[in-house]
């Protein structure tokens, strides 16, 4: 102690003392006997495994005496707490993921907060795994064909097997989402899913827009084409079906036929058109003709069978289906269709209990 007091009486001695004390503090923090080179190697490996911030990786390793397996479990525990704190934040970005088997297709929406996370390979891997899981979910209404909805409650408790270098093994859907949310540092949530089954004499066609890799996109169009003769030319049905799935994404139809336009939608549009026409100052008879003319235009915009075909706008979809029926030698009809887009209705649904929007045939 006498020597220490004598040393610290000079500026150089003060600096030396501070360095010694700092080294002692560091030694106490890393008293596991693990060398500096091995420490850096463990930090690097755990960061590669988890994608967690380097500060959190180092802290977990120190707390677990540089046991990398224990530290990884500790990071997962901490991540779940972090994820729960972020779960109230708006997640309107993300991706749609599509999985398909013979006669059935399923599409899910996995949301995050930023487009940056939507481009992350771990997020994309999870989205594709969820779509494959959704494909296995039984139709709760036991319909032979048609569209059915899957909410979080249908998937969250199911087992999910992930095979990615940074997130692998069997876990529940909810735990996988929570773990990825912790890795990404954002709110990640499974929002909704839909599945469509074709009839025994039908084919399913799908299209994904803005697709970063197969099975992923921001907008999805799916439809089923049904044919009376099961021996009809499948190539022609699949060709036209693919074009129609793309048409659905581009043209945004809301109804399959004019007869399926809901009375509420029709009356709401009629009221809007009437108000607009009345500003012209024309006689009532002229206003009525204007409204009816604009309603016909409205039908052409929102009814799939009345829309101009995007691949060839010289015909409408009704004519396209008629021509296809002649080509295959059997009557063809559109059984069902739907269109989904990432984030549609998110802001509205945060303050409303209204059902999630999806354009579909009924």
């Amino acid at each position: 102690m006498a020597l220490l007091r004598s040393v610290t009486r000079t500026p150089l001695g003060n600096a030396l003392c501070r360095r010694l004390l700092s080294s002692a503090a560091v030694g106490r923090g890393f008293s596991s006997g693990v060398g500096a080179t091995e420490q850096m190697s463990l930090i690097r490996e755990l960061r590669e495994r988890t994608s967690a911030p380097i500060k959190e990786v180092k802290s977990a390793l120190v707390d677990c005496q540089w046991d990398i397996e224990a530290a990884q479990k500790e990071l997962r525990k901490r991540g779940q707490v972090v994820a729960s704190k972020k779960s109230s934040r708006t997640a309107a970005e993300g991706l749609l993921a599509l999985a398909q088997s013979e006669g059935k297709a399923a599409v899910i929406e996995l949301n995050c907060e930023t487009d940056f996370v939507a481009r992350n390979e771990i997020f994309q891997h999870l989205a594709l795994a969820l779509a494959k899981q959704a494909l296995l979910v039984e139709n709760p209404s036991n319909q032979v064909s048609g569209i059915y909805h899957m909410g979080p409650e249908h998937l969250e408790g199911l087992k999910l097997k992930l095979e990615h270098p940074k997130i692998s093994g069997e876990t529940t859907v909810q735990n996988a989402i929570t773990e990825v949310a912790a890795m990404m540092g954002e709110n990640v949530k499974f929002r909704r899913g839909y599945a469509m089954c074709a009839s025994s004499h039908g084919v399913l066609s799908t299209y994904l827009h803005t697709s970063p890799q197969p099975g992923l996109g921001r907008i999805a169009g799916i439809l089923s084409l049904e044919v009376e003769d099961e021996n009809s030319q499948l190539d022609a049905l699949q060709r036209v079906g693919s074009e129609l799935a793309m048409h659905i994404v581009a043209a945004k139809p809301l109804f399959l036929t004019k007869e399926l336009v809901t009375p509420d939608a029709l009356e709401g549009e009629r009221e809007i058109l009437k108000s607009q026409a009345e500003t012209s100052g024309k006689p009532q008879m002229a206003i009525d003709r204007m409204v009816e003319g604009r309603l016909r235009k409205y039908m052409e915009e929102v009814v799939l069978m009345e829309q101009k075909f995007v691949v060839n706008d010289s015909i409408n979809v009704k004519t396209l289906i008629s021509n296809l029926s002649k080509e295959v030698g059997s009557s063809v009809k559109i059984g069902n269709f739907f269109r989904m887009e990432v984030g549609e209705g998110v802001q509205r649904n945060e303050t409303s209990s209204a059902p999630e929007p999806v354009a579909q045939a009924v």
Side-chain angles (χ1 to χ4, degrees):
M1 290 298 294
L3 177 61
L4 183 59
R5 283 195 296 272
S6 66
V7 170
T8 56
R9 286 172 184 158
T10 66
L12 181 60
N14 282 329
L16 179 60
C17 184
R18 285 194 297 271
R19 176 176 289 182
L20 288 169
L21 290 172
S22 175
S23 297
V26 171
R28 286 193 298 273
F30 304 115
S31 58
S32 62
V34 178
T37 302
E38 188 176 354
Q39 290 172 12
M40 291 303 298
S41 177
L42 289 168
I43 290 171
R44 188 181 304 110
E45 182 180 348
L46 186 54
R47 178 161 167 74
E48 288 175 355
R49 283 191 192 184
T50 65
S51 296
I54 193 166
K55 182 179 178 182
E56 295 297 328
V57 167
K58 185 175 179 181
S59 171
L61 283 166
V62 170
D63 290 347
C64 297
Q65 300 298 306
W66 296 94
D67 181 333
I68 192 168
E69 300 300 332
Q72 185 169 348
K73 290 180 181 177
E74 177 63 22
L75 278 175
R76 291 180 68 176
K77 292 177 184 176
R78 296 180 187 181
Q80 290 178 0
V81 174
V82 172
S84 66
K85 291 178 179 177
K86 298 177 186 296
S87 62
S88 62
R89 301 198 320 215
T90 301
E93 288 294 331
L95 286 169
L96 304 180
L98 173 73
Q100 190 170 355
S101 62
E102 186 175 355
K104 184 177 180 181
V107 60
I108 64 97
E109 180 177 358
L110 185 66
N111 292 126
C112 55
E113 297 176 47
T114 65
D115 183 61
F116 177 78
V117 166
R119 295 195 299 269
N120 184 280
E121 60 171 349
I122 300 174
F123 181 89
Q124 294 182 0
H125 180 81
L126 175 60
L128 289 168
L130 289 174
K132 291 176 183 176
Q133 187 63 53
L135 194 63
L136 303 176
V137 174
E138 294 293 330
N139 187 341
S141 59
N142 295 317
Q143 291 175 293
V144 176
S145 63
I147 304 166
Y148 59 95
H149 171 261
M150 288 172 284
E153 69 278 6
H154 293 104
L155 265 69
E156 286 180 345
L158 300 179
K159 293 292 184 180
L160 189 68
K161 187 171 179 60
L162 298 169
E163 297 177 354
H164 187 279
K166 295 182 181 179
I167 176 171
S168 61
E170 189 174 83
T171 183
T172 65
V173 168
Q174 182 55 55
N175 286 344
I177 292 171
T178 300
E179 187 171 348
V180 170
M183 288 182 177
M184 301 297 104
E186 287 191 8
N187 181 17
V188 174
K189 59 184 289 188
F190 167 71
R191 183 183 175 204
R192 55 179 174 162
Y194 286 88
M196 178 187 287
C197 299
S199 68
S200 58
H201 294 174
V203 297
L204 282 178
S205 298
T206 64
Y207 176 75
L208 285 167
H209 186 62
T210 318
S211 179
Q213 62 167 297
L216 296 173
R218 287 188 56 84
I219 313 175
I222 303 179
L223 83 155
S224 64
L225 287 177
E226 298 177 0
V227 60
E228 286 185 357
D229 183 359
E230 60 181 319
N231 297 316
S232 298
Q233 304 171 39
L234 287 180
D235 289 347
L237 291 172
Q238 289 168 347
R239 184 193 75 247
V240 174
S242 296
E243 293 176 341
L244 276 172
M246 183 173 63
H247 171 97
I248 288 166
V249 166
K252 303 180 182 180
L254 298 177
F255 308 96
L256 177 58
T257 64
K258 290 189 289 186
E259 292 73 24
L260 291 174
V261 178
T262 63
D264 287 346
L266 194 58
E267 286 308 309
E269 187 66 19
R270 189 187 298 276
E271 287 300 316
I272 292 171
L273 295 176
K274 185 178 179 181
S275 297
Q276 293 173 347
E278 285 174 346
T279 62
S280 66
K282 294 182 179 180
Q284 187 62 46
M285 188 177 295
I287 289 174
D288 291 342
R289 286 198 298 268
M290 289 170 64
V291 169
E292 292 307 312
R294 290 174 183 178
L295 273 178
R296 286 193 293 273
K297 182 67 175 175
Y298 170 73
M299 292 291 188
E300 293 175 3
E301 291 173 352
V302 301
V303 174
L304 177 57
M305 295 297 283
E306 306 299 322
Q307 288 179 331
K308 296 291 186 183
F309 184 38
V310 294
V311 178
N312 176 10
D313 63 8
S314 66
I315 60 173
N316 62 16
V317 173
K318 185 189 295 181
T319 302
L320 174 73
I321 296 298
S322 176
N323 292 342
L324 177 62
S325 298
K326 294 173 184 175
E327 181 180 349
V328 302
S330 180
S331 177
V332 179
K333 67 176 183 177
I334 297 173
N336 293 280
F337 80 89
F338 71 85
R339 180 188 188 277
M340 271 176 68
E341 186 168 351
V342 169
E344 58 188 347
V346 167
Q347 294 294 337
R348 178 176 63 83
N349 285 323
E350 286 183 345
T351 57
S352 171
S353 59
E356 302 286 5
V358 59
Q360 67 180 66
V362 180

